[in-house]
């Protein structure tokens, strides 16, 4: 305890998760740390869930609003959702139980750009935050908080909340201390200052968070690791997608439009994104840099291999093997990885200035280049937009990647019209599937449609898409800028909902 909680006075606040959960009452809004399965509290959420179940057993209401950095894990979002005690949730999740609760209408979910979260907290849109529950790796002699593997909105959470509960996790490497870069204030408009990051690895703040010590009501010790999901080895589709992106980079470097070490790379969550980074291990680019929300296995391996010189993120989300490599190499990595609050990581200002190359996965794209990242068949929430919008709109190059079909071919990921819009045709520069790539820059909608159908759609759906597009172009009373058959545009989704297959039989 003395090593991890170095402030003697704060040691008086050490208690069990159950005792700490007593600070959380029905109807409260709670800021909970956590970003893509990293940096979330491991013990207090279960204690809250048990409290909720007991209250429900007595016939009493118990539900709270939860605002995190991004997704957490089964022992955080999962247990709370299973106890049916999450009335409101924002801004990103990926937990199956919580997802079911959202889609069943039990949890109100605000899906939003991650770069907006801290601002909306300050603006008071969530009401007052009664409690913040955060994970830390240590507390210094002066009571400064050292986050663990993820920061997300944590800095704002401790500022906004009336009471703060800190889980000090002894399973997290104490040597994380020093890897964070946390700024305390950039001010508010009209006096807001520029974020002075001109290189992806610049340090602009202090390596800890400050918190009014009187607000810290509980310190709970935990010793279990982060979610650490395993990545699937890149499959053929992912490898094909990765190869095309790397070919494109080669081409741009040769043409003098990209520096030899490319530009800072952002990679979204998931296997395909990870495969692109894995592909860069064997590509002829050195001194790469990363400027991303979540640093996963692929980027870690580039750094360890000496291909990437430094990376900035808001969270480290590794498979168990990669976590081992991270811990084994932490001395080497300490001056190559920096973790920042998501308000800086995802800042449009910084992303635009650095010229970040954004690579994110999608659910579907339409023939004109609009992208749906969040809703299955237009109504069911998958995870959320996360940071994909922050990066896509402001990127130097914005890529969307996906296999051309889902569910064994029953779903085409290229459709006449997206069933939900997350990224508009104005933001999306490249669509890449295992079939090919469409470079949409400098193209009008009908030119884009031809490219997307011919290059990206699966052969099983190409004729069906050509037929739709042809008839739309020839239909009466249809504008020829973005031709659509409005009554038919979403019929592919309706067909899937009714028959389980988008193909016309
Ligand atoms: O479902 O596993 O049940 O079969 O969606 O699809 O192809 O494995 O791809 O894991 O990369 O996820 C967009 C969801 C893609 C993710 C999305 C089904 C498919 C499968 C997963 P099954 P894949 P991925 C920075 C960036 C938004 C947030 C973001 C995501 C499952 O990347 O949430 O980008 N992105 N953040 O079968 C119905 C379709 C489908 C479909 C795929 N058209 N219709 N189901 N699936 N296409 C990080 C953060 O912001 C924190």
């Amino acid at each position: 305890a003395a090593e991890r909680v170095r402030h003697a006075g704060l040691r008086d606040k050490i208690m069990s998760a159950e005792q700490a959960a007593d600070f959380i009452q029905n109807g409260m809004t709670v800021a909970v740390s956590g970003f893509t399965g990293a940096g979330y509290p491991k013990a207090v959420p279960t204690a809250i869930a048990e409290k909720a179940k007991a209250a429900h057993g007595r016939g009493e209401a118990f539900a709270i609003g939860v605002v995190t950095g991004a997704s957490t894990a089964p022992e955080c979002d999962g247990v709370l959702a299973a106890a049916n005690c999450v009335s409101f949730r924002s801004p990103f999740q990926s937990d199956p139980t919580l997802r079911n609760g959202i889609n069943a209408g039990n949890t109100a979910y605000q899906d939003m750009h991650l770069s907006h979260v801290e601002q909306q907290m300050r603006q008071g849109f969530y009401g007052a935050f009664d409690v913040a529950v955060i994970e830390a790796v240590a507390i210094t002699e002066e009571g400064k908080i050292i986050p663990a593997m993820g920061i997300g909105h944590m800095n704002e959470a401790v500022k906004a909340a009336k009471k703060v509960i800190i889980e000090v996790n002894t399973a997290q490497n104490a040597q994380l201390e020093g890897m964070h870069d946390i700024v305390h204030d950039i001010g508010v408009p009209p006096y807001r200052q520029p974020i002075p990051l001109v290189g992806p690895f610049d340090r602009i703040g202090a390596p800890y968070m400050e918190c009014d010590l009187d607000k810290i009501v509980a310190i709970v010790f935990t010793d279990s690791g982060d979610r650490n999901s395993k990545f699937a080895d890149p499959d053929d589709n992912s490898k094909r997608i990765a190869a095309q992106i790397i070919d494109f980079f080669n081409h741009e470097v040769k043409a003098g439009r990209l520096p030899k070490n490319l530009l800072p790379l952002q990679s979204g969550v998931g296997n395909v994104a990870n495969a692109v980074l894995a592909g860069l291990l064997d590509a002829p680019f050195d001194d790469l840099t990363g400027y991303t929300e979540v640093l996963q296995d692929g980027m870690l391996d580039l750094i360890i291999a000496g291909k990437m010189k430094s990376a900035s993120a808001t969270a480290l989300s590794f498979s168990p093997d990669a976590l081992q490599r991270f811990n084994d190499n932490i001395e080497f990595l300490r001056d190559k990885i920096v973790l920042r609050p998501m308000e800086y990581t995802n800042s449009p200002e910084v992303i635009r200035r650095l010229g970040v190359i954004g690579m994110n996965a999608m659910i579907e794209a339409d023939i004109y280049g609009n992208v749906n990242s969040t809703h299955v068949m237009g109504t069911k929430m998958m995870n959320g937009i996360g940071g994909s919008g922050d990066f896509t709109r402001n990127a130097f190059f914005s890529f969307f990647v996906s296999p051309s079909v889902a569910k064994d071919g029953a779903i085409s990921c290229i459709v006449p019209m997206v069933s939900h819009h997350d990224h508009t045709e104005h933001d999306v520069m490249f669509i890449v599937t295992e079939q090919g790539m469409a470079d949409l820059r400098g193209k009008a909608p009908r030119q884009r449609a031809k490219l997307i159908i011919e290059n990206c759609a699966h052969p099983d759906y190409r004729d069906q898409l050509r037929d739709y597009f042809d008839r739309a172009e020839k239909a009466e009373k249809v504008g020829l800028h973005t031709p659509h058959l409005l009554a038919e545009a979403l019929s592919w989704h309706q067909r899937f909902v009714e028959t389980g297959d988008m193909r016309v039989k």
Side-chain angles (χ1 to χ4, degrees):
E3 256 171 50
R4 296 288 183 130
V5 181
R6 306 201 287 264
H7 186 285
L10 283 176
R11 277 183 228 138
D12 297 340
K13 306 275 175 71
I14 296 172
M15 63 181 76
S16 70
E18 291 69 29
Q19 287 168 317
D22 272 341
F23 290 102
I24 290 152
Q25 307 300 335
N26 178 39
M28 284 186 167
T29 303
V30 183
V32 177
S33 69
F35 202 101
T36 338
Y40 57 93
K42 314 288 189 284
V44 175
T46 297
I48 300 171
E50 290 305 321
K51 210 175 139 162
K53 284 194 258 180
H56 296 163
R58 294 190 300 271
E60 295 166 15
F62 190 102
I64 56 173
V66 177
V67 178
T68 61
S71 51
T72 65
E75 63 270 38
C76 187
D77 272 327
V79 290
L80 292 171
N84 203 12
C85 69
V86 187
S87 52
F88 176 84
R89 180 70 171 78
S90 195
F92 183 84
Q93 57 77 41
S94 62
D95 184 80
T97 314
L98 178 59
R99 181 186 296 138
N100 288 342
I102 291 167
N103 288 322
N106 299 331
T107 296
Y109 177 50
Q110 180 202 15
D111 169 29
M112 62 186 294
H113 295 307
L114 298 185
S115 70
H116 289 177
V117 174
E118 286 106 316
Q119 170 164 306
Q120 291 206 5
M121 289 172 79
R122 286 194 287 275
Q123 288 170 336
F125 282 106
Y126 302 104
F129 282 93
D130 299 287
V131 182
V133 187
I134 61 162
E135 187 186 64
V137 79
I139 302 175
T140 69
E141 289 78 359
E142 300 80 33
K144 317 261 199 231
I145 302 167
I146 312 292
M149 301 284 272
I151 299 181
H153 74 337
M154 212 191 268
N155 190 40
E156 194 58 40
V158 300
K159 279 199 246 172
K162 293 178 207 152
K163 293 179 179 155
V164 176
I165 298 172
I166 306 175
E167 284 196 6
V168 175
N169 190 339
T170 51
Q172 305 287 18
N173 199 324
Q175 288 177 280
L176 282 166
E177 194 166 338
M179 288 179 100
H180 309 91
D181 184 49
I182 302 170
V183 179
H184 300 292
D185 203 359
I186 52 166
V188 288
Y191 306 107
R192 188 186 275 165
Q193 297 297 307
I195 298 176
L197 275 173
V198 289
F201 198 69
D202 290 354
R203 284 183 165 273
I204 56 174
Y208 49 71
M209 299 190 308
E210 280 180 4
C211 176
D212 175 357
L213 298 189
D214 294 336
K215 293 208 292 193
I216 301 175
V217 293
I219 294 174
V220 176
F221 272 93
T222 56
D223 69 347
S224 52
D226 284 320
R227 186 183 62 197
N228 301 127
S229 319
K230 201 174 152 9
F231 285 99
D233 286 331
D235 60 8
D236 284 347
N237 279 348
S238 308
K239 284 187 194 154
R240 273 188 219 133
I241 292 170
Q244 295 174 78
I245 296 181
I246 290 166
D247 269 2
F248 172 78
F249 289 161
N250 263 317
H251 187 260
E252 291 299 290
V253 170
K254 281 198 190 112
R257 287 187 292 263
L258 258 186
K260 275 195 197 126
N261 67 338
L262 309 182
L263 285 164
L265 300 168
Q266 177 260 341
S267 141
V269 283
N271 293 322
V272 177
N274 207 48
V276 175
L277 295 178
L280 282 169
L281 267 177
D282 305 316
F285 311 114
D286 294 303
D287 290 333
L288 296 166
T289 55
Y291 194 81
T292 191
E293 287 175 342
V294 195
L295 196 154
Q296 295 178 317
D297 295 22
M299 215 175 257
L300 177 73
D301 290 339
L302 285 172
I303 300 174
I304 292 176
K307 296 285 280 183
M308 181 173 273
K309 61 181 177 187
S310 61
S312 163
T314 194
L316 303 169
S317 183
F318 298 135
S319 69
D321 291 354
L323 178 66
Q324 187 64 48
R325 291 198 289 285
F326 174 78
N327 281 326
D328 291 347
N329 291 286
I330 197 159
E331 269 312 314
F332 170 77
L333 295 166
R334 275 165 69 78
D335 61 355
K336 295 176 185 67
I337 294 177
V338 60
L339 294 176
R340 314 176 190 283
M342 68 188 190
E343 189 167 27
Y344 301 98
T345 296
N346 285 34
S347 161
E349 171 200 342
V350 179
I351 294 165
R352 187 65 68 94
R353 177 157 56 240
L354 298 180
V356 173
I357 297 177
M359 297 178 282
N360 293 288
M362 64 183 182
I363 286 180
E364 59 184 8
D366 68 25
I367 54 175
Y368 296 117
N370 299 288
V371 164
N372 169 12
S373 290
T374 55
H375 284 68
V376 172
M377 300 301 141
T379 62
K380 289 205 184 88
M381 174 51 67
M382 183 69 153
N383 302 323
I385 192 167
S388 57
D390 294 324
F391 280 91
T392 296
R393 172 157 293 175
N394 300 294
F396 190 76
F397 289 144
S398 60
F399 288 89
F400 275 98
V401 298
S402 169
S404 63
V405 290
K407 305 293 175 211
D408 293 327
I411 296 176
S412 174
C413 298
I414 307 295
V415 289
M417 183 186 267
V418 282
S419 58
H420 177 91
H421 269 86
D422 290 295
H423 311 287
T424 76
E425 52 163 335
H426 314 288
D427 299 337
V428 178
M429 297 182 197
F430 305 91
I431 292 178
V432 194
T433 70
E434 80 290 352
Q435 300 295 323
M437 172 157 136
D439 179 349
L440 308 178
R441 295 171 304 165
K443 308 276 185 326
R446 286 192 289 159
Q447 298 171 320
R448 281 184 231 141
K450 290 203 174 90
L451 275 179
I452 294 172
I453 295 171
E454 301 309 326
N455 294 4
C456 302
H458 192 276
D460 287 358
Y461 286 98
R462 251 177 235 159
D463 279 343
Q464 223 174 289
L465 287 164
R466 287 181 192 127
D467 173 58
Y468 174 84
F469 180 59
D470 284 352
R471 286 185 293 114
E473 279 187 308
K474 288 178 194 136
E476 280 179 35
K477 298 187 184 167
V478 162
L480 284 182
H481 180 65
T482 309
H484 265 304
L485 302 167
L486 291 179
E488 201 181 312
L490 296 174
S491 64
W492 293 34
H493 300 86
Q494 186 62 27
R495 191 178 312 120
F496 179 81
V497 170
E498 285 167 11
T499 70
D501 205 319
M502 279 188 177
R503 283 170 285 213
V504 177
K505 293 273 158 68

